Amino acid sequence: MKAKNILKAVLASAFAFVMVAALAGCGATQGSTDTASEGGSTAASGDDKTIVVGASPSPHAEILAAAEDVLAEDGWTLEIVEYSDYIQPNVALEGGELDANYFQHNQYLDNYNAENGTDLVNAANIHFEPMTLYAGKTASVDELPDGAQIAVPSDPSNEARALLVLEEQGIITLAEGAGLEATPNDIVDNPKNVQIVEAEAAALPRMLEDADMAVINGNYALSSGLDQSLVVATEQNPEAESTYPNCIAVRSGDEESEKTKALVSALTSDTIKQFIEENYGDAVVACF
């Protein structure tokens, strides 16, 4: 009998211990839920010190990498996500996968918002990349044959900009007032009957083998390692730098967030200005 009583006592104690542990576990889970609902997540409470930024490989991701140490001095960790196109960085930013992106100029950002119903905003202008006309099968403007093919970016703002470069070189004439809205339909004079070949900006460097020339965005020219001896002409529009600065884009309402302010401060530091001047020459110009 004594043995049975001892066994019952042991079993009762074990059962009580299990119940207490279970209740403690439920209490901990409930407490976590309450904390999240009352005070928000760790990120929301300001303890998230990682800034996730989407960028084109060159020069944007390179410039961001140069800012890592500057951010680290203030306790921030920078995570760079590279993209090879002009669409996904904005999709990811709008979807909350990124804190910011750095790949586009103001005009492209405005056009993207208008076409997609988004509300992404410019947090700061960082640098300017002149559009450049590169030689492909033909070495100079004077040598362009009748019916020559010239490749340009297919996205609206960069295509207009490329057409303006061709106009600067006397290859075409655009309708008066076409400006930043110019399309091939606005060409009113085309003495060499050039064919405008529209293509995704990232594909333009590869098209030089088959096209007579191409007008290429600075970041894709840099990332493709294009030989600068192939440069035929560089954008000369005096308002280009103020119209087409590459910016840090964020979701509307995040312009003054701690992450945005830290990122902008690092990217407009003397360290980054020196990095740009030493590494890119005339291909990239700091806007600060």
Side-chain angles (χ1 to χ4, degrees):
M1 293 294 291
K2 288 182 179 180
K4 288 183 179 180
N5 289 336
I6 291 171
L7 178 59
K8 286 181 180 179
V10 169
L11 291 174
S13 297
F15 178 76
F17 175 81
V18 170
M19 290 302 294
V20 169
L23 289 171
C26 290
T29 302
Q30 183 63 45
S32 296
T33 302
D34 290 344
T35 299
S37 61
E38 292 174 7
S41 65
T42 300
S45 64
D47 292 334
D48 179 8
K49 299 293 285 186
T50 298
I51 307 173
V52 185
V53 184
S56 297
S58 181
H60 306 80
E62 296 165 353
I63 294 172
L64 284 168
E68 285 183 314
D69 289 343
V70 179
L71 284 163
E73 290 175 1
D74 291 324
W76 294 96
T77 298
L78 179 63
E79 182 179 328
I80 304 167
V81 182
E82 295 189 5
Y83 294 87
S84 61
D85 73 300
Y86 281 172
I87 304 298
Q88 292 308 311
N90 279 338
V91 173
L93 179 58
E94 177 68 16
E97 298 170 35
L98 305 172
D99 295 307
N101 68 39
Y102 177 36
F103 77 98
Q104 64 197 322
H105 56 59
N106 286 328
Q107 193 70 26
Y108 182 88
L109 177 60
D110 290 344
N111 286 346
Y112 182 88
N113 282 329
E115 292 176 1
N116 294 278
T118 49
D119 192 17
L120 305 178
V121 298
N122 175 357
N125 295 328
I126 306 300
H127 77 265
F128 167 65
E129 299 170 17
M131 291 284 281
T132 302
L133 178 63
Y134 284 87
K137 295 191 299 183
T138 302
S140 70
V141 171
D142 291 339
E143 296 173 10
L144 282 172
D146 189 72
Q149 293 187 329
I150 301 181
V152 301
S154 58
D155 57 280
S157 62
N158 283 312
E159 180 173 44
R161 195 173 167 194
L163 293 174
L164 289 168
V165 171
L166 299 183
E167 184 176 49
E168 290 169 6
Q169 296 305 307
I171 298 172
I172 59 173
T173 301
L174 297 169
E176 186 176 354
L180 301 180
E181 302 297 324
T183 72
N185 292 330
D186 293 304
I187 298 174
V188 295
D189 190 25
N190 186 356
K192 292 179 182 274
N193 299 305
V194 298
Q195 299 177 44
I196 302 299
V197 181
E198 299 165 304
E200 186 179 349
L204 292 172
R206 298 191 299 272
M207 295 179 68
L208 282 176
E209 292 183 4
D210 300 313
D212 288 277
M213 292 183 179
V215 185
I216 303 177
N217 300 71
N219 60 311
Y220 288 126
L222 288 168
S223 61
S224 299
L226 285 182
D227 188 340
Q228 293 305 294
S229 68
L230 298 177
V231 171
V232 175
T234 301
E235 193 171 31
Q236 298 299 314
N237 185 340
E239 298 182 0
E241 186 169 345
S242 60
T243 306
Y244 303 112
N246 281 231
C247 65
I248 292 296
V250 298
R251 290 177 293 278
S252 179
D254 286 346
E255 302 95 316
E256 296 300 321
S257 73
E258 291 302 311
K259 288 187 177 185
T260 300
K261 289 191 289 187
L263 181 63
V264 170
S265 177
L267 288 174
T268 55
S269 65
D270 290 341
T271 297
I272 296 305
K273 186 168 188 176
Q274 182 177 351
F275 176 83
I276 290 173
E277 292 172 349
E278 292 179 351
N279 287 274
Y280 304 112
D282 294 334
V284 180
V285 180
C287 293
F288 53 91

